[in-house]
Amino acid sequence: MTVSQENVRRLLRPRSVAFVGGSVAPLALACCEETGFGGPIYAVHPRRADIGGCATYRSVHDLPEAPDAAFIAANAAATVEIVGELREIGAGGAACYAAGFSETGTAEGRARELALREAAGELAVLGPNCFGVIDLVDGVSLWPVPYPSGRPERGVAVILQSGNLGINVTMSQRSLPLAFVASVGNQAVLEIADLVEAYLEMDEVTAIGIYLEGLRDVHRFAAAAARALERGIPIAVCKTGSSELGRELALTHTASLAGSDELYD
């Protein structure tokens, strides 16, 4: 297993977590506590003394250990800097909540996303412009919206390019045996195929559901899907962006070029 692959595993199933930022980070930290996570929870803010009752560290470099996963809820420019700091200390991965990257359709946004990718290195990064990640099996959450939290032994892993749909899925009271959730946003670093490959290595995953706006690497996704077929793990895909309006929305939402639906079919 490469360092990058190990970091994806650390992000999806962390044993220690950090929450960085002031406005949304406290909400995500509270959700993590609500799930009953028993590992270390760290809060980082340069000025606040505490976040949600958790004493803060002034910077990522002040943390007593490199967290497996971090939820970053800072502005876009600061997010790039924090991602670089997490890489420097040897963290596993991060979920980047901030927007203001390539989905803006501007040269500045595209340049900022490129800077984020370069800052990440081998750090496993979800987003930017995403809601985060949930591991219900182990009771750990980097997700800023409350949801009914159970502790299933196994179940479905859901990968989404829509945070709003992720909220609806996590709040569903229906029969979906939900075990893992990941919001990928712009896929600046981690792509959907990375998560499919990682979830296929988990015995607790019974199936994978994907809400898809666009793929960055079609061949890699096809290879991951073929591997899922070999392992008997079903994949269900809901593909959006088939109409011209849908393609425009996908581009402005997560900077996804929906492309020809014939290729996706």
Side-chain angles (χ1 to χ4, degrees):
M1 181 179 293
T2 66
V3 173
S4 295
Q5 290 171 328
E6 172 62 16
N7 282 344
V8 174
R9 185 203 62 77
R10 291 173 67 190
L11 172 64
L12 298 181
R13 307 195 72 169
R15 297 178 181 177
S16 60
V17 295
F19 296 87
V20 187
S23 58
V24 179
L27 303 176
L29 191 153
C31 288
C32 189
E33 291 179 331
E34 182 65 25
T35 62
F37 179 57
I41 298 177
Y42 304 111
V44 179
H45 195 280
R47 294 177 300 277
R48 293 191 184 184
D50 71 275
I51 291 180
C54 184
T56 60
Y57 294 87
R58 291 298 180 92
S59 76
V60 166
H61 286 290
D62 293 330
L63 291 171
E65 65 174 316
D68 285 328
F71 180 85
I72 305 174
N75 64 52
T79 294
V80 175
E81 182 179 348
I82 294 164
V83 163
E85 292 174 350
L86 287 167
R87 174 185 55 78
E88 289 171 1
I89 67 171
C96 299
Y97 181 80
F101 293 85
S102 61
E103 83 285 350
T104 63
T106 65
E108 181 183 8
R110 289 189 290 271
R112 186 177 289 129
E113 188 157 313
L114 177 60
L116 177 72
R117 190 178 300 121
E118 292 175 346
E122 293 184 316
L123 188 75
V125 175
L126 284 174
N129 188 29
C130 81
F131 262 61
V133 61
I134 301 172
D135 169 9
L136 288 169
V137 174
D138 300 304
V140 56
S141 172
L142 285 83
W143 192 266
V145 180
Y147 54 87
S149 57
R151 293 290 291 272
E153 293 183 0
R154 60 203 310 260
V156 174
V158 178
I159 305 166
L160 311 110
Q161 278 187 277
S162 167
N164 187 53
L165 185 60
I167 293 173
N168 283 274
V169 168
T170 58
M171 291 185 177
S172 174
Q173 296 291 311
R174 300 191 181 188
S175 58
L176 177 68
L178 193 63
F180 302 95
V181 180
S183 171
V184 298
N186 293 6
Q187 301 185 85
V189 179
L190 291 183
E191 302 178 27
I192 289 174
D194 290 297
L195 301 183
V196 171
E197 291 169 357
Y199 283 132
L200 287 176
E201 295 299 318
M202 301 180 190
D203 293 336
E204 296 88 350
V205 172
T206 58
I208 298 173
I210 302 172
Y211 178 80
L212 174 66
E213 291 183 355
L215 295 170
R216 296 289 178 91
D217 188 335
V218 175
H219 295 292
R220 188 174 176 194
F221 178 83
R227 187 178 180 197
L229 187 64
E230 293 174 355
R231 295 197 58 178
I233 302 296
I235 296 180
V237 180
C238 175
K239 171 66 174 64
T240 188
S242 58
S243 67
E244 182 58 35
L245 177 59
R247 283 191 285 271
E248 292 175 4
L249 290 173
L251 181 60
T252 58
H253 182 220
T254 59
S256 295
L257 296 174
S260 169
D261 242 34
E262 293 182 3
L263 292 175
Y264 285 102
D265 288 342

